[in-house]
Amino acid sequence: MSLPKVRAHKEYQEFVKEQLKAHSLGIPTFFMNVYAKLINLDLSRVNSILKFRYSNRGTPARAPDNMLRSLLAMMLSGITSIDEWIALLRSFPSLAIISGFTPEDTPGVGTFYDFFDRLYLMDKDKSKTKGKIRFRRKPNKSKEQGKREDALPEHNHKGVIQRLVNRVMREDSKKKNNKSSYKAPDYLLQKIFKECFVIPSARLGIIDLDNLNVGGDGSKIATYASPYGKKVCKCKDKCDCPRLFSDRDARWGWDSFHESWVYGYGIHDLVDLKSGLSIILPKLTSANIHDGVVAINLIREAMNQGYRIKHSVFDSDYDNYHFYRFLIDYYRISPIIKINKRCEGKFKNRDLIFFTKDGAPICLYGLTLTNWGYCWDRGRNKWRCPICSLAQYKDEECPYRDICQQKKSKYGRVVYTRSKENYRYFTPVPRDSDLWKELYKKRSISERSFKVKKRDYKLTATRTRGRKMWAIRVALACMCQHIDAQAKALGVREEKSQDVLTVT
């Protein structure tokens, strides 16, 4: 099927007004909000991004921008079923016109699933929903055991994050010398998301790409497929023989928030701390994959797309020595990560007896030295004598000044802490500083973003299975979040748009 003629955004707006007028239609009340949000959404770039996925010959296919707009309208309307959505398109002509179709010519079920195949780059053999794999029973463990295994996988898989960091660095260095033609399965979705949603949000001032602070977190989502599969062996008793599963990528994983085991996938997201919106599409993994492992790919994807991150905020699950090294040395990102108490014994530094638990040096007088900034060129933090640098101690005399300084100076003694000595404690932003505490308080915005995706856009009520389908559903939810934020910034309201929505 060939790609139809590309239609500009203004042409789409004129098409909607002309069709509503020609059929003497008005927008139903329960679709007013959807119309008000989609009429200003420019998806004209989608056609050029997906151009190579269509042939140059044959019958013209459905326009990609109309197909994506229709899926977004489905998510904004709270519909989770493709079949139910097609029935609505045919029952409400105005809804088909909002999507960009004529009421007499709406797409069918197969057309939408064909569009999914064009969106997601995956071989046909690998994209099959069914597959025969070894049967894995639900882990028979208590809640506390599940928490420990989920929080600290390096106890069972020692050095996995270190090996992953080293491999990412090697691969990036090879790509600089020899460009690779490999594209990830979500390559097109990531490109559409950036050009049609993230950049417009930045232009409206919703996201500040010049001063980008991000927060990362993970969440579990249950698949609609059965965890027991279909038995194909002839064993009469319980066995672990390979079975036929309708979702072969799903696995059992521990959900620490609900304190229960989940059979499905893990969603790992990177959101802007200012707006709570995703800057890249979340990574989808099996539910048994730990959050700290996927964070490396999240940061790597964001930096490869051209974003320049200043601070990255994570919870204690991401507290790993080599993850700090990856952020500080490789990408020059200041990590804001809480120390995991169960890992305090790792990577001990003998010099820490003269430091606080947050990594701040203490002088002989018992005062914490004043942080004077981080030098990225030399990879070290600068600390000054508090009596010489702070106004609150200007009238105080230090009895250890002669011991502390060989030559007396008004500037006071200077101490340097290098990140390479201990990445976990000597971070670019000191742990006891006001900036560190202020940024870490915003970490919960990642959890609120997951709540919006799951409840407002009904990811938890979606009856779907397979990595491809879940990746597309999650991507649509992230796009809808940007649409809502853009509509709010533009002041789109149902009351104000009443006279625009009803066309005579």
Side-chain angles (χ1 to χ4, degrees), residues 81 214 221 286 300 309 338:
S81 171
V214 299
I221 191 164
S286 301
R300 183 190 188 188
I309 301 172
K338 188 177 180 180

Side-chain angles (χ1 to χ4, degrees), residues 443-461:
R443 190 199 62 81
S444 60
I445 200 169
S446 302
E447 299 172 354
R448 293 196 295 271
S449 179
F450 278 123
K451 182 180 178 181
V452 173
K453 292 181 180 68
K454 289 183 175 181
R455 294 189 179 181
D456 294 2
Y457 303 118
K458 299 187 177 181
L459 286 181
T460 53

Side-chain angles (χ1 to χ4, degrees), residues 308-405:
R308 291 294 171 261
I309 301 172
K310 294 183 65 177
H311 304 93
S312 58
V313 184
F314 298 93
D315 59 17
S316 59
D317 285 348
Y318 300 83
D319 180 30
N320 183 281
Y321 180 84
H322 297 284
F323 184 53
Y324 285 93
R325 177 171 65 90
F326 176 72
L327 294 175
I328 297 173
D329 283 355
Y330 195 62
Y331 282 129
R332 292 194 173 186
I333 299 174
S334 299
I336 309 295
I337 306 175
K338 188 177 180 180
I339 291 291
N340 194 327
K341 293 182 179 180
R342 292 187 288 262
C343 295
E344 284 182 340
K346 286 190 162 187
F347 303 108
K348 288 186 177 179
N349 192 323
R350 295 179 181 178
D351 296 333
L352 287 179
I353 57 175
F354 302 106
F355 292 80
T356 65
K357 63 179 182 179
D358 297 322
I362 303 174
C363 68
L364 296 175
Y365 195 39
L367 300 176
T368 303
L369 272 65
T370 308
N371 181 259
W372 217 250
Y374 188 82
C375 181
W376 287 102
D377 295 336
R378 300 187 179 183
R380 63 185 187 180
N381 256 314
K382 182 179 179 181
W383 305 83
R384 283 186 58 191
C385 172
I387 294 179
C388 298
S389 59
L390 298 179
Q392 64 189 48
Y393 298 117
K394 63 179 181 180
D395 297 330
E396 192 165 346
E397 289 292 334
C398 177
Y400 302 99
R401 190 162 186 175
D402 295 336
I403 304 174
C404 200
Q405 288 182 274

Side-chain angles (χ1 to χ4, degrees), residues 1-4 6 43-56 61-68 71 114-121 185-192 195-196 479:
M1 302 180 88
S2 61
L3 188 69
V6 178
L43 295 177
S44 56
R45 283 284 298 154
V46 175
N47 296 326
S48 59
I49 294 173
L50 296 178
K51 184 178 180 180
F52 77 98
R53 299 289 286 171
Y54 291 85
S55 174
N56 296 325
R62 299 282 182 179
D65 57 338
N66 293 339
M67 296 296 295
L68 181 59
L71 290 171
D114 177 73
F115 182 65
F116 293 153
D117 292 335
R118 299 180 191 275
L119 275 178
Y120 201 73
L121 299 177
D186 62 344
Y187 170 76
L188 294 176
L189 285 169
Q190 293 281 4
K191 197 170 183 180
I192 292 172
E195 296 189 14
C196 298
M479 294 174 184

